[in-house]
Amino acid sequence: MTAVWENLVVDARDPSRLARWWAEALGYQVITDRPDEVEIRRTPETLPGLVFVPVAEPKPGKNRLHIDLRPADQEAEVERLVDMGARHVDIGQGDVEWTVLADPEGNEFCVLAARAR
């Protein structure tokens, strides 16, 4: 028997706000919005979801796990996400073909170039 990937859990100072930011960024919808957890998914039936849970302390350092996004147009997607409140960050990535951004609470993620055809 194998396990099914249900969710990725993200600690957040403001789970509802951060979940709504990621829902807009990914084209997801809020499935559950409670004080102790906010879940977003592409559709209510589609797994995995992202679950945002409250924490009191700020993010301590670089993420140990992050999301990679692969849009059709990297430059346009980076611009859209920055307009939504993401910011460019340098985590020592050097000169690479992807862009590293951080969400409004500082969680790093990458925006990759389009796949070569």
Side-chain angles (χ1 to χ4, degrees), residues 2-9 46-50 65:
T2 60
V4 174
W5 177 14
E6 179 86 10
N7 291 305
L8 176 66
V9 179
T46 305
L47 294 175
L50 290 171
L65 177 71

PDB file of all heavy atoms in Angstrom, residues 2-9 46-50 65:
ATOM      1  N   THR A   2       0.555   2.217  -0.825  1.00  0.00           N
ATOM      2  CA  THR A   2       1.311   3.463  -0.867  1.00  0.00           C
ATOM      3  C   THR A   2       0.474   4.588  -0.280  1.00  0.00           C
ATOM      4  O   THR A   2      -0.749   4.508  -0.212  1.00  0.00           O
ATOM      5  CB  THR A   2       1.710   3.829  -2.310  1.00  0.00           C
ATOM      6  OG1 THR A   2       0.522   3.971  -3.080  1.00  0.00           O
ATOM      7  CG2 THR A   2       2.603   2.769  -2.916  1.00  0.00           C
ATOM      8  N   ALA A   3       1.139   5.644   0.120  1.00  0.00           N
ATOM      9  CA  ALA A   3       0.463   6.805   0.676  1.00  0.00           C
ATOM     10  C   ALA A   3       0.073   7.758  -0.444  1.00  0.00           C
ATOM     11  O   ALA A   3       0.670   7.767  -1.515  1.00  0.00           O
ATOM     12  CB  ALA A   3       1.379   7.517   1.663  1.00  0.00           C
ATOM     13  N   VAL A   4      -0.932   8.553  -0.185  1.00  0.00           N
ATOM     14  CA  VAL A   4      -1.375   9.596  -1.107  1.00  0.00           C
ATOM     15  C   VAL A   4      -0.962  10.937  -0.530  1.00  0.00           C
ATOM     16  O   VAL A   4      -1.168  11.207   0.655  1.00  0.00           O
ATOM     17  CB  VAL A   4      -2.923   9.555  -1.280  1.00  0.00           C
ATOM     18  CG1 VAL A   4      -3.407  10.721  -2.112  1.00  0.00           C
ATOM     19  CG2 VAL A   4      -3.348   8.238  -1.891  1.00  0.00           C
ATOM     20  N   TRP A   5      -0.356  11.770  -1.371  1.00  0.00           N
ATOM     21  CA  TRP A   5       0.045  13.106  -0.929  1.00  0.00           C
ATOM     22  C   TRP A   5      -1.216  13.939  -0.781  1.00  0.00           C
ATOM     23  O   TRP A   5      -1.865  14.296  -1.753  1.00  0.00           O
ATOM     24  CB  TRP A   5       1.013  13.710  -1.932  1.00  0.00           C
ATOM     25  CG  TRP A   5       1.444  15.098  -1.620  1.00  0.00           C
ATOM     26  CD1 TRP A   5       1.301  15.774  -0.447  1.00  0.00           C
ATOM     27  CD2 TRP A   5       2.101  16.000  -2.500  1.00  0.00           C
ATOM     28  NE1 TRP A   5       1.831  17.030  -0.529  1.00  0.00           N
ATOM     29  CE2 TRP A   5       2.326  17.196  -1.786  1.00  0.00           C
ATOM     30  CE3 TRP A   5       2.520  15.917  -3.813  1.00  0.00           C
ATOM     31  CZ2 TRP A   5       2.953  18.293  -2.362  1.00  0.00           C
ATOM     32  CZ3 TRP A   5       3.147  17.012  -4.375  1.00  0.00           C
ATOM     33  CH2 TRP A   5       3.362  18.180  -3.660  1.00  0.00           C
ATOM     34  N   GLU A   6      -1.568  14.266   0.446  1.00  0.00           N
ATOM     35  CA  GLU A   6      -2.793  14.995   0.769  1.00  0.00           C
ATOM     36  C   GLU A   6      -2.568  16.503   0.741  1.00  0.00           C
ATOM     37  O   GLU A   6      -3.301  17.234   0.095  1.00  0.00           O
ATOM     38  CB  GLU A   6      -3.293  14.560   2.149  1.00  0.00           C
ATOM     39  CG  GLU A   6      -4.547  15.250   2.605  1.00  0.00           C
ATOM     40  CD  GLU A   6      -5.821  14.591   2.128  1.00  0.00           C
ATOM     41  OE1 GLU A   6      -5.772  13.468   1.587  1.00  0.00           O
ATOM     42  OE2 GLU A   6      -6.876  15.205   2.284  1.00  0.00           O
ATOM     43  N   ASN A   7      -1.575  16.990   1.495  1.00  0.00           N
ATOM     44  CA  ASN A   7      -1.356  18.428   1.646  1.00  0.00           C
ATOM     45  C   ASN A   7       0.111  18.747   1.873  1.00  0.00           C
ATOM     46  O   ASN A   7       0.876  17.901   2.325  1.00  0.00           O
ATOM     47  CB  ASN A   7      -2.121  18.961   2.882  1.00  0.00           C
ATOM     48  CG  ASN A   7      -3.599  18.936   2.716  1.00  0.00           C
ATOM     49  OD1 ASN A   7      -4.130  19.477   1.770  1.00  0.00           O
ATOM     50  ND2 ASN A   7      -4.291  18.281   3.647  1.00  0.00           N
ATOM     51  N   LEU A   8       0.450  19.979   1.615  1.00  0.00           N
ATOM     52  CA  LEU A   8       1.702  20.573   2.058  1.00  0.00           C
ATOM     53  C   LEU A   8       1.288  21.622   3.081  1.00  0.00           C
ATOM     54  O   LEU A   8       0.426  22.462   2.789  1.00  0.00           O
ATOM     55  CB  LEU A   8       2.451  21.220   0.887  1.00  0.00           C
ATOM     56  CG  LEU A   8       3.730  21.963   1.233  1.00  0.00           C
ATOM     57  CD1 LEU A   8       4.788  20.982   1.745  1.00  0.00           C
ATOM     58  CD2 LEU A   8       4.251  22.693   0.014  1.00  0.00           C
ATOM     59  N   VAL A   9       1.850  21.567   4.279  1.00  0.00           N
ATOM     60  CA  VAL A   9       1.453  22.469   5.357  1.00  0.00           C
ATOM     61  C   VAL A   9       2.462  23.606   5.458  1.00  0.00           C
ATOM     62  O   VAL A   9       3.673  23.380   5.456  1.00  0.00           O
ATOM     63  CB  VAL A   9       1.338  21.710   6.693  1.00  0.00           C
ATOM     64  CG1 VAL A   9       0.939  22.657   7.820  1.00  0.00           C
ATOM     65  CG2 VAL A   9       0.326  20.577   6.561  1.00  0.00           C
ATOM     66  N   THR A  46      -9.493  17.976  -5.841  1.00  0.00           N
ATOM     67  CA  THR A  46      -8.138  17.783  -6.354  1.00  0.00           C
ATOM     68  C   THR A  46      -7.097  17.874  -5.244  1.00  0.00           C
ATOM     69  O   THR A  46      -7.031  18.864  -4.527  1.00  0.00           O
ATOM     70  CB  THR A  46      -7.832  18.835  -7.439  1.00  0.00           C
ATOM     71  OG1 THR A  46      -8.832  18.776  -8.449  1.00  0.00           O
ATOM     72  CG2 THR A  46      -6.475  18.589  -8.067  1.00  0.00           C
ATOM     73  N   LEU A  47      -6.289  16.830  -5.150  1.00  0.00           N
ATOM     74  CA  LEU A  47      -5.165  16.813  -4.208  1.00  0.00           C
ATOM     75  C   LEU A  47      -3.870  16.966  -4.996  1.00  0.00           C
ATOM     76  O   LEU A  47      -3.828  16.648  -6.165  1.00  0.00           O
ATOM     77  CB  LEU A  47      -5.137  15.485  -3.444  1.00  0.00           C
ATOM     78  CG  LEU A  47      -6.309  15.223  -2.512  1.00  0.00           C
ATOM     79  CD1 LEU A  47      -6.198  13.819  -1.929  1.00  0.00           C
ATOM     80  CD2 LEU A  47      -6.362  16.260  -1.407  1.00  0.00           C
ATOM     81  N   PRO A  48      -2.797  17.415  -4.392  1.00  0.00           N
ATOM     82  CA  PRO A  48      -2.706  17.851  -3.009  1.00  0.00           C
ATOM     83  C   PRO A  48      -3.188  19.284  -2.837  1.00  0.00           C
ATOM     84  O   PRO A  48      -3.318  20.032  -3.799  1.00  0.00           O
ATOM     85  CB  PRO A  48      -1.209  17.757  -2.711  1.00  0.00           C
ATOM     86  CG  PRO A  48      -0.562  17.997  -4.040  1.00  0.00           C
ATOM     87  CD  PRO A  48      -1.500  17.410  -5.063  1.00  0.00           C
ATOM     88  N   GLY A  49      -3.412  19.638  -1.585  1.00  0.00           N
ATOM     89  CA  GLY A  49      -3.772  21.012  -1.246  1.00  0.00           C
ATOM     90  C   GLY A  49      -2.636  21.663  -0.486  1.00  0.00           C
ATOM     91  O   GLY A  49      -1.632  21.021  -0.156  1.00  0.00           O
ATOM     92  N   LEU A  50      -2.805  22.927  -0.230  1.00  0.00           N
ATOM     93  CA  LEU A  50      -1.896  23.661   0.652  1.00  0.00           C
ATOM     94  C   LEU A  50      -2.707  24.036   1.882  1.00  0.00           C
ATOM     95  O   LEU A  50      -3.806  24.581   1.763  1.00  0.00           O
ATOM     96  CB  LEU A  50      -1.362  24.929  -0.019  1.00  0.00           C
ATOM     97  CG  LEU A  50      -0.392  24.748  -1.174  1.00  0.00           C
ATOM     98  CD1 LEU A  50      -0.123  26.081  -1.861  1.00  0.00           C
ATOM     99  CD2 LEU A  50       0.915  24.157  -0.681  1.00  0.00           C
ATOM    100  N   LEU A  65      12.012  23.502   2.240  1.00  0.00           N
ATOM    101  CA  LEU A  65      11.176  22.964   1.174  1.00  0.00           C
ATOM    102  C   LEU A  65      10.525  24.166   0.504  1.00  0.00           C
ATOM    103  O   LEU A  65      10.127  25.110   1.188  1.00  0.00           O
ATOM    104  CB  LEU A  65      10.100  22.056   1.788  1.00  0.00           C
ATOM    105  CG  LEU A  65       9.069  21.431   0.878  1.00  0.00           C
ATOM    106  CD1 LEU A  65       9.707  20.344   0.016  1.00  0.00           C
ATOM    107  CD2 LEU A  65       7.946  20.816   1.717  1.00  0.00           C
TER     108      LEU A  65
END
